[in-house]
Amino acid sequence: MFEKYPHHGRNVWVNPKLKGKHREHCLCFSCIKFNPGAPENNCPIANLNYAVCLAHNLVTPVYECPEFIEKKSL
């Protein structure tokens, strides 16, 4: 049901059905406050979430957020 694979230089466990689907599931990638390349302009919640991910080698998609503002498609 789970598999181990190298992710950013460390072996991690994942449900293979969800592997690689982080962006598809995470609200951040559809939010106007999300600016991952510019921490000073990025959502503070996303910055904190990313810091935890880096510190513990996690992938944590956000499913619920009180600050979410949807990007409107052009």
Side-chain angles (χ1 to χ4, degrees):
M1 177 160 185
F2 299 98
E3 67 181 43
K4 199 174 202 178
Y5 81 103
H7 182 82
H8 297 298
R10 191 162 173 206
N11 285 330
V12 297
W13 288 95
V14 66
N15 178 331
K17 293 178 183 177
L18 298 175
K19 184 178 176 183
K21 298 195 182 267
H22 174 257
R23 290 177 185 230
E24 182 181 330
H25 288 264
C26 186
L27 279 177
C28 297
F29 290 91
S30 298
C31 181
I32 64 170
K33 294 182 177 187
F34 188 55
N35 298 296
E40 65 282 354
N41 296 322
N42 196 20
C43 170
I45 297 169
N47 279 339
L48 183 58
N49 189 38
Y50 184 63
V52 170
C53 289
L54 284 179
H56 299 283
N57 220 32
L58 302 173
V59 174
T60 55
V62 174
Y63 288 99
E64 299 177 13
C65 180
E67 301 296 322
F68 177 75
I69 300 173
E70 186 177 7
K71 290 179 186 176
K72 302 297 181 196
S73 56
L74 302 174

